[in-house]
Amino acid sequence: MDVKIEQSWKEVLANEFQEPYFEKLTTFVREEYKGNTPIYPPAKLIFNAFDHCPFNDVKVVILGQDPYHGAGQANGLCFSVNRGVQPPPSLVNIFKEVAADTGRPIPDNGDLTRWSDQGVLLLNATLTVRAASAGSHQNKGWEQFTDAVIRILAQKREHLVFILWGSYAQKKGAFIDRNRHLVLTSPHPSPLSAYHGFFGNHHFTQANDYLERHNKSGIVW
């Protein structure tokens, strides 16, 4: 199956694209985009996280769950929204923690492409969603695909930083070898849990300290 994804990912995921579940997933997603209900992100941005962050350039992986399901929000990067779109509450809290942790000013937009281009894979567990219907594309095969992405990164690369916010991300990344990679966990940045351990987690400086100790440049958060 010819999947339109960045070439290095196309190579390392080649076996995955031949699996029966991925063929079923592709059929489902194509039919969804043909329907009357909008599907997010736009089809050309489904693999945006990979296209901005080639396999060998990955330094940090941040795991999300679903794309945003509001009009104009999702751009294929977890937690990120397009320029001109009001940052959702979780992203606002992420920026607050970045500012408190690193001293960097809160940016004037919520587009995290600048992180992706530095080696941060902003990976949602599910890469598509129906408009105004959170979780509508769960359990269709995306989770198996993104599990494979994490597994291949964890096995083929060394000294990556995996940032897992909330119980869903922590379960998804439970198998990552902590001796080979840095795994940072805390509550989710959503307003419901941010004050229960997300604020003050210092994940951004911890990630950079680890990268620099392993001769990699840190991220300009």
Side-chain angles (χ1 to χ4, degrees), residues 12-216:
V12 297
L13 294 169
N15 291 340
E16 217 60 33
F17 295 142
Q18 305 307 317
E19 291 287 333
Y21 87 86
F22 195 84
E23 188 171 339
K24 283 177 64 178
L25 169 64
T26 301
T27 300
F28 166 76
V29 169
R30 281 179 179 152
E31 289 303 311
E32 285 284 283
Y33 275 95
K34 288 179 188 171
N36 293 323
T37 303
I39 306 299
Y40 302 129
K44 66 181 180 181
L45 297 179
I46 291 174
F47 295 112
N48 198 30
F50 303 88
D51 294 339
H52 277 275
C53 194
F55 180 76
N56 286 319
D57 292 349
V58 176
K59 299 177 184 177
V60 179
V61 181
I62 298 179
L63 281 185
Q65 191 163 356
D66 264 13
Y68 296 121
H69 53 80
Q73 289 183 302
N75 62 10
L77 311 176
C78 74
F79 294 107
S80 176
V81 291
N82 290 310
R83 285 174 177 267
V85 175
Q86 184 74 24
S90 291
L91 183 54
V92 170
N93 287 338
I94 289 169
F95 287 153
K96 286 179 180 176
E97 177 58 22
V98 169
D101 188 21
T102 69
R104 290 192 59 76
I106 291 176
D108 61 2
N109 70 86
D111 183 0
L112 300 181
T113 304
R114 60 187 179 277
W115 291 5
S116 276
D117 290 340
Q118 296 179 75
V120 183
L121 183 68
L122 294 164
L123 182 66
N124 274 317
T126 304
L127 299 189
T128 54
V129 70
R130 211 174 286 155
S133 184
S136 49
H137 285 189
Q138 290 179 3
N139 303 314
K140 302 295 184 183
W142 278 131
E143 295 91 341
Q144 188 171 343
F145 172 71
T146 51
D147 281 349
V149 170
I150 298 164
R151 185 178 66 251
I152 288 166
L153 279 167
Q155 290 174 351
K156 292 182 177 289
R157 298 287 311 281
E158 289 189 350
H159 307 312
L160 299 181
V161 181
F162 290 88
I163 296 180
L164 312 178
W165 295 324
S167 58
Y168 182 91
Q170 288 160 28
K171 286 174 189 165
K172 193 170 178 70
F175 65 86
I176 298 165
D177 184 350
R178 269 68 170 168
N179 294 316
R180 187 168 179 165
H181 304 285
L182 176 65
V183 179
L184 299 173
T185 63
S186 82
H188 195 274
S190 77
L192 295 173
S193 54
Y195 286 96
H196 298 283
F198 175 78
F199 288 135
N201 65 24
H202 299 291
H203 282 179
F204 304 100
T205 51
Q206 287 188 64
N208 280 354
D209 288 348
Y210 180 84
L211 292 172
E212 288 161 9
R213 284 203 310 274
H214 290 94
N215 301 312
K216 300 178 186 182

